[in-house]
Amino acid sequence: TGLRLAVARELLLAALEELSQEQLKRFRHKLRDVGPDGRSIPWGRLERADAVDLAEQLTQFYGPEPALEVARKTLKRADARDVAAQLQEQRLRRLGLGSVALLSVSEYKKKYREHVLQLHARVKERNARSVKITKRFTKLLIAPESAAPEEEALGPAEEPEPGRARRSDTHTFNRLFRGDEEGRQPLTVVLQGPAGIGKTMAAKKILYDWAAGKLYQGQVDFAFFMPCGELLERPGTRSLADLILDQCPDRGAPVPQMLAQPQRLLFILDGADELPALEGPEAEPCTDPFEAASGARVLGGLLSKALLPTALLLVTTRAAASGRLQGRLGSPQCAEVRGFSDKDKKKYFYKFFQDERRAERAYRFVKENETLFALCFVPFVCWIVCTVLRQQLELGRDLSRTSKTTTSVYLLFIASVLSSAPVADGPRVQGDLRNLCRLAREGVLGRRAQFAEKQLEQLELRGSRVQTLFLSKKELPGVLETEVTYQFIDQSFQEFLAALSYLLEDEGVPRTAAGGVGTLLRGDSQPHSHLVLTTRFLFGLLSAERMRDIERHFGCVVSERVKQEALRWVQGQGQGCPGVAPEVTEGTKGLEDTEEPEEEEEEGEEPNYPLELLYCLYETQEDAFVRQALCRLPELALQGVRFCRMDVAVLSYCVRCCPAGQALRLISCRLVTAQEKKKKSLGKRLQASLGGSSSRGTTKQLPASLLHPLFQAMTDQLCRLTSLTLSHCKVPDAVCRDLSEALKAAPALTELGLLHNRLSEAGLRMLSEGLAWPQCRVQTVRVQLPSSQHGLQYLVGMLRQSPALTTLDLSGCQLPAPMVTYLCAILQHQGCGLQTLSLTSVELSEQSLQELQAVKRVKPDLVIAHPALDGHPEPPKEHISTF
């Protein structure tokens, strides 16, 4: 303030006037040395300055309190220690202890830790209630060194494997920056996970535990929390040094000394997926911590290591965006935040209710609802469920409506807000919610999460019940005064309300500036679009049941136009939509190309766009709509997907609803979880347990495969999937066993392709049993194996009893002479109804060709496709001998 500036000038002048001319000269020369922030007053301003000029120069250049500290230290170096002590005494008397700035780093560490502990001891709940972080934080499951980011999922996720995921205790957090086998310590760790999973809370708990002395001791001197979304929306430019100073308890922090040892600093970049891709002059990375630049440049410089390359970074990001960040991060160590375990869900309920009787009642209700309980692995969803249940219990009611999707749970929360409002306030709350949805939509389309008070005033939301419930207030230090902004209680909730806004549009009313639903869907043409989650929510709101809920709670008629527009959008994706798997030329590839390299399991940066469409359809939970949407997508081709259990749940639901003539191709997909890969091969276990006996009774006792829900869906009487192809996949025995069971009962499956896959002998044996089942309807089987496999004998053997099979394509397989002899014997069996056998690209010996010719003479209606047989019913001997 002006007062402190005047006092500082007065104290400086009094001290300098105590100096002799020789001491004043030495003082001027010593001021040429580097100052506290790496800068010193130019000599031209000092050379002829008297005491009055020096006091003015010092306060203008350094600011009032830093100037006093610079003068004190310079006086000591100029051999005027008595004057320095006198200045310090007067300074403490006039300005108090808080003015003693620029403590040494070692002195400041304790002060800063205490400040962080105090600042982050309590966290605001999403309804603005403040709670202790130690009381409310419930441990999350974190899987260190996750092989690759999973697709962001809405709905029940797989229960994390205990051997892989660890609860987020101090030991787990300390492991994040642990060195690898070769002793190399990661400088960047990425915590990734879907919206609402608890990444921000985990990051804040890490900061709090560091300040409490539990984490990174002897490794990190200072840790700083950088909320990316908030910093990106601050106007003007600031340096990294400024951002650090903002987090310190006073303006006298020794920032230059802190930055002099960057390897001792930890920066927590929360929400790095919000960082935009910079272009033009802004794309030049920020490399100087004292350079004032835009928030995007400063944060981008930290992220890319152009700025403080040896500092430690902890980055949180939504899983769907982590692939896009990979190019900016280099080689980070990844960890996946996977939400609550079943045990921790229960702990959260008890911490939330703080009343054992009510907590037990609420938890028991949710536990009995399998789908709702599964959804509670996401902390934000868990909070919404608890909030709704608390309101219901306080009113003496029970939660009668349950949900399968996140959309349903979020809508339930909105309904509880509306129903809990007094009847007289109902219309006002409805109107406020409409305006809030409009604000959310404008923010989502404009990639904006912070809203000024003026925007709330324009929509008459400031001070309303809706603002209190759905928006959290943020106070940011401004140039002249504190700037107040608002943001939604959770980013995913902003996206939900944005989706809801499209269903609250009145027919005939002119579109808002944000545009209609077509703007959203056309804008979501790229997998990395920031509109992905909003699009999923939109589809979730389009089911007939959800639309009725909206009409009841908002007192409006929801237009069918939105639903029809969404339907046309999905159907339009069948023609050249981005990301659709390209056709693989089956059967014409050389055998040298059929091996599936290990590296192909690595997921690329782009999410799988056809899978994202299926997520949208899953969110509707309306079978008729899904079936109608899939009519224009006759083939579902998913390529390079590392299936998680949620992906399989989504695919299974859509397959169960698929219309007649639908085909499904899985190309280069991973069909096992990380845990299953570590287990002993089921084939070996099968061989050990079966010996020479039939496997029919024992395979059912083996664990279900990752694709078990998909194969169950194929047996649903409503499922009309006609063709299934697994191409370039490593098909484990568990998948073969479950597929075999599905082949026995699938009502519409007539074609099965197993192309360029690795299948064990046990796997082929189980598949053959399914194909030979009396109720199996498969008519065409295509098998291409990368090498000679003894298990083919089971596939050939089933031909004598397979009721429906008419076409067998073994093109590309290696068939030794004894196998061809066995094949020919089976083909002549009276129970074999095969009509077409394709052996294209199969090398056959002269003896094998003769045996096949003999089969054709016995069964003239059987078509055997092979270059040496086509068009030559009985080739001349010289031709046969030269083959």
Side-chain angles (χ1 to χ4, degrees), residues 198-426:
K199 301 181 294 295
T200 297
M201 180 65 86
K204 287 185 175 179
K205 187 62 164 54
I206 287 172
L207 181 69
Y208 183 84
D209 284 353
W210 165 80
K214 297 178 181 179
L215 292 179
Y216 316 133
Q217 292 309 295
Q219 186 179 2
V220 174
D221 288 341
F222 295 92
F224 306 103
F225 188 83
M226 302 284 186
C228 294
E230 183 181 308
L231 296 177
L232 287 171
E233 295 193 20
R234 284 194 190 180
T237 59
R238 303 174 74 81
S239 67
L240 178 62
D242 292 329
L243 297 180
I244 290 174
L245 198 56
D246 287 344
Q247 299 202 23
C248 294
D250 54 60
R251 307 303 288 178
V255 175
Q257 291 92 322
M258 293 178 188
L259 291 169
Q261 289 189 296
Q263 72 278 7
R264 310 284 301 174
L265 305 180
L266 168 64
F267 293 92
I268 300 173
L269 272 59
D270 184 46
D273 46 280
E274 299 207 33
L275 289 175
L278 299 177
E279 298 177 353
E282 281 284 291
E284 186 69 27
C286 182
T287 58
D288 181 0
F290 296 100
E291 177 192 352
S294 66
R297 278 194 67 209
V298 173
L299 294 172
L302 276 175
L303 197 69
S304 65
K305 291 291 182 185
L307 189 57
L308 305 187
T310 58
L312 297 179
L313 290 186
L314 180 69
V315 179
T316 73
T317 176
R318 287 188 177 186
S322 58
R324 176 171 53 83
L325 288 176
Q326 290 293 328
R328 304 174 73 172
L329 285 167
S331 301
Q333 178 161 292
C334 294
E336 185 185 355
V337 182
R338 310 195 56 187
F340 293 146
S341 65
D342 286 353
K343 183 191 298 182
D344 290 321
K345 290 175 192 174
K346 185 173 184 178
K347 286 187 177 181
Y348 185 90
F349 270 73
Y350 277 81
K351 286 183 178 182
F352 182 94
F353 282 94
Q354 298 178 336
D355 176 289
E356 191 168 340
R357 188 181 61 82
R358 283 190 170 183
E360 180 60 34
R361 186 178 170 191
Y363 179 75
R364 189 168 60 247
F365 173 83
V366 175
K367 187 72 166 30
E368 290 170 0
N369 182 332
E370 186 178 342
T371 53
L372 196 60
F373 185 67
L375 282 170
C376 284
F377 84 100
V378 179
F380 182 59
V381 174
C382 204
W383 175 78
I384 287 180
V385 170
C386 287
T387 301
V388 171
L389 281 174
R390 184 171 61 192
Q391 291 171 343
Q392 298 272 349
L393 290 172
E394 286 172 353
L395 295 169
R397 300 175 187 166
D398 232 340
L399 185 65
S400 56
R401 302 182 65 80
T402 59
S403 310
K404 277 191 174 183
T405 66
T406 313
T407 306
S408 304
V409 174
Y410 282 29
L411 189 60
L412 196 62
F413 180 64
I414 295 285
S416 72
V417 170
L418 288 168
S419 61
S420 63
V423 176
D425 294 344

Side-chain angles (χ1 to χ4, degrees), residues 144 406 600 631 862:
T406 313
E600 286 193 3
C631 278
L862 174 64

Side-chain angles (χ1 to χ4, degrees), residues 515-739:
V517 69
T519 305
L520 172 70
L521 297 177
R522 285 191 296 274
D524 192 27
S525 61
Q526 297 302 319
H528 273 314
S529 170
H530 58 291
L531 305 174
V532 164
L533 207 54
T534 305
T535 305
R536 284 193 201 175
F537 279 130
L538 175 69
F539 275 84
L541 293 168
L542 291 178
S543 73
E545 188 177 356
R546 297 289 85 77
M547 290 171 75
R548 282 195 297 270
D549 288 342
I550 293 168
E551 290 178 355
R552 183 171 68 254
H553 294 305
F554 283 90
C556 66
V557 176
V558 178
S559 170
E560 278 286 328
R561 173 189 53 77
V562 178
K563 192 169 186 175
Q564 292 306 311
E565 200 163 345
L567 178 64
R568 286 194 297 273
W569 177 74
V570 175
Q571 292 177 336
Q573 304 311 300
Q575 287 80 45
C577 76
V580 169
E583 290 290 335
V584 176
T585 310
E586 327 282 12
T588 60
K589 296 179 69 172
L591 291 178
E592 68 277 4
D593 296 324
T594 61
E595 294 287 339
E596 323 89 278
E598 298 285 339
E599 302 78 49
E600 286 193 3
E601 283 200 3
E602 291 302 319
E603 187 179 31
E605 289 186 10
E606 296 296 320
N608 193 287
Y609 198 75
L611 183 60
E612 183 55 45
L613 286 177
L614 300 186
Y615 265 98
C616 290
L617 295 177
Y618 171 83
E619 201 66 19
T620 69
Q621 289 295 306
E622 187 172 291
D623 297 3
F625 179 84
V626 174
R627 191 169 291 112
Q628 191 177 0
L630 291 174
C631 278
R632 299 286 182 88
L633 301 171
E635 181 182 73
L636 303 176
L638 303 181
Q639 185 168 18
V641 177
R642 298 170 57 88
F643 279 109
C644 69
R645 295 195 189 281
M646 189 58 215
D647 294 336
V648 177
V650 167
L651 179 59
S652 303
Y653 171 74
C654 292
V655 162
R656 186 174 65 80
C657 298
C658 71
Q662 195 96 52
L664 172 63
R665 281 199 302 145
L666 305 182
I667 306 163
S668 300
C669 295
R670 194 183 76 176
L671 309 182
V672 293
T673 63
Q675 185 189 28
E676 288 173 328
K677 291 182 75 176
K678 296 175 184 176
K679 288 183 178 179
K680 183 179 177 182
S681 161
L682 279 176
K684 292 178 182 177
R685 292 168 61 187
L686 196 62
Q687 290 172 2
S689 62
L690 296 182
S693 65
S694 169
S695 64
R696 190 167 296 172
T698 55
T699 54
K700 292 179 182 178
Q701 301 168 9
L702 297 171
S705 72
L706 179 64
L707 297 189
H708 181 69
L710 170 63
F711 299 140
Q712 275 194 317
M714 285 167 48
T715 64
D716 191 290
Q717 291 306 302
L718 295 175
C719 174
R720 290 295 174 262
L721 186 75
T722 57
S723 175
L724 172 66
T725 300
L726 304 179
S727 177
H728 293 82
C729 301
K730 294 170 189 171
V731 184
D733 293 340
V735 170
C736 291
R737 189 279 316 275
D738 290 345
L739 175 56

Side-chain angles (χ1 to χ4, degrees), residues 764-827:
L764 280 166
R765 179 178 183 175
M766 290 184 282
L767 285 171
S768 301
E769 288 180 357
L771 289 167
W773 201 258
Q775 282 74 41
C776 178
R777 304 189 182 201
V778 175
Q779 300 171 12
T780 301
V781 174
R782 293 188 171 86
V783 178
Q784 293 173 337
L785 300 174
S787 58
S788 175
Q789 296 208 14
H790 191 61
L792 272 175
Q793 63 175 313
Y794 300 112
L795 196 62
V796 170
M798 65 86 192
L799 292 174
R800 63 186 164 207
Q801 53 186 319
S802 178
L805 194 67
T806 58
T807 301
L808 177 63
D809 186 349
L810 298 177
S811 301
C813 291
Q814 294 183 29
L815 298 179
M819 184 65 71
V820 176
T821 301
Y822 180 55
L823 172 63
C824 290
I826 295 297
L827 289 172

Side-chain angles (χ1 to χ4, degrees), residues 852-863:
L852 289 167
Q853 288 286 11
V855 170
K856 291 186 71 171
R857 285 196 292 271
V858 175
K859 285 194 166 182
D861 293 335
L862 174 64
V863 176

